[in-house]
């Protein structure tokens, strides 16, 4: 994936642009970071870049905003993972509050399921970005490839690998959950037997 900056975009009033595209950009950032606060920070940074850019160079506004948001989210996720390496205890994503009256880009956004966010944390960041773009935004593979700086075949491979890893993680979690329920049931039966013995 290229570290180069995304292309500049066409003219447009900032308020209009982000009223129209803001929720989509928030979904990308939240899917990558699992944090409302950090996702808002990324969208804010993209807005500042948009305000400062020469907008007459490239006509594809959505490509510019999507690329900028995804790449800034990847950088933020790398930084967050570095910090968590020294954190004691499990990290949990922030559930998305969509009823905040429009205070963030979360308004009207379909939340990513909490358990999916947990599993996304286990993916390579390129896989996670490809999965978020393809599965939550239905981006065509050509767009996924352009955003990540890879060819279309590689984009398809990243999405396929992400799906495979998530499916394996889901199967493992289900087995662990079932075993936990069986252990709890066995302990309960054992406890009931002890109580019956003492009563007798």
């Amino acid at each position: 994936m290229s570290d180069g900056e995304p292309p500049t975009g066409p003219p447009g009033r900032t308020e209009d642009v982000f009223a129209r595209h803001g929720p989509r950009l928030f979904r990308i950032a939240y899917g990558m970071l699992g944090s409302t606060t950090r996702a808002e920070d990324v969208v804010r940074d993209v807005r500042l870049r948009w305000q400062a850019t020469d907008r007459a160079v490239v006509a594809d506004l959505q490509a510019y905003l999507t690329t900028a948001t995804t790449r800034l989210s990847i950088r933020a996720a790398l930084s967050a993972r570095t910090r968590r390496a020294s954190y004691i205890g499990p990290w949990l994503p922030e559930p998305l509050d969509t009823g905040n009256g429009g205070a963030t880009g979360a308004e009207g956004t379909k939340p990513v399921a909490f358990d999916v966010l947990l599993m996304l944390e286990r993916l390579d960041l390129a896989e996670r970005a490809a999965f978020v773009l393809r599965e939550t935004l239905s981006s065509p593979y050509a767009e996924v490839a352009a955003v990540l700086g890879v060819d279309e075949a590689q984009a398809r491979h990243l999405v396929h690998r992400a799906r495979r890893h998530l499916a394996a993680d889901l199967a493992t979690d289900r087995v662990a959950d079932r075993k936990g329920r069986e252990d709890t049931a066995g302990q309960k039966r054992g406890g009931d037997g002890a109580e019956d013995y003492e009563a007798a």
Side-chain angles (χ1 to χ4, degrees), residues 46-129:
V46 173
R47 183 185 180 110
L48 291 173
R49 289 185 176 217
W50 167 254
Q51 289 174 321
T53 195
D54 174 9
R55 305 175 188 183
V57 179
V58 175
D60 194 337
L61 171 61
Q62 180 168 297
Y64 168 84
L65 295 174
T66 300
T67 302
T69 303
T70 303
R71 293 183 181 179
L72 286 174
S73 296
I74 289 173
R75 293 176 193 173
L78 280 170
S79 176
R81 288 188 175 184
T82 300
R83 289 195 303 271
R84 285 185 213 133
S86 60
Y87 177 75
I88 299 175
W91 175 86
L92 297 176
E94 298 174 16
L96 182 60
D97 178 10
T98 58
N100 54 17
T104 72
E107 185 188 22
T109 300
K110 182 180 178 181
V112 180
F114 188 82
D115 56 345
V116 173
L117 282 172
L118 281 174
M119 288 188 289
L120 286 175
E121 276 297 306
R122 304 170 192 171
L123 295 179
D124 170 90
L125 289 176
E127 292 174 0
R128 181 168 184 166

Side-chain angles (χ1 to χ4, degrees), residues 71-187:
R71 293 183 181 179
L72 286 174
S73 296
I74 289 173
R75 293 176 193 173
L78 280 170
S79 176
R81 288 188 175 184
T82 300
R83 289 195 303 271
R84 285 185 213 133
S86 60
Y87 177 75
I88 299 175
W91 175 86
L92 297 176
E94 298 174 16
L96 182 60
D97 178 10
T98 58
N100 54 17
T104 72
E107 185 188 22
T109 300
K110 182 180 178 181
V112 180
F114 188 82
D115 56 345
V116 173
L117 282 172
L118 281 174
M119 288 188 289
L120 286 175
E121 276 297 306
R122 304 170 192 171
L123 295 179
D124 170 90
L125 289 176
E127 292 174 0
R128 181 168 184 166
F131 182 87
V132 168
L133 290 169
R134 178 65 182 174
E135 297 298 325
T136 70
L137 298 177
S138 300
S139 298
Y141 283 109
E143 181 180 12
V144 176
V147 168
L148 297 180
V150 300
D151 62 36
E152 193 168 331
Q154 289 174 301
R156 289 177 180 274
H157 181 64
L158 285 170
V159 174
H160 173 74
R161 205 164 62 192
R163 288 172 178 160
R164 189 180 65 218
H165 289 162
L166 290 175
D169 287 343
L170 182 60
T172 299
D173 289 348
R174 284 175 175 169
V175 169
D177 184 56
R178 183 169 63 248
K179 185 177 186 305
R181 289 198 304 269
E182 290 171 351
D183 289 347
T184 299
Q187 290 169 4

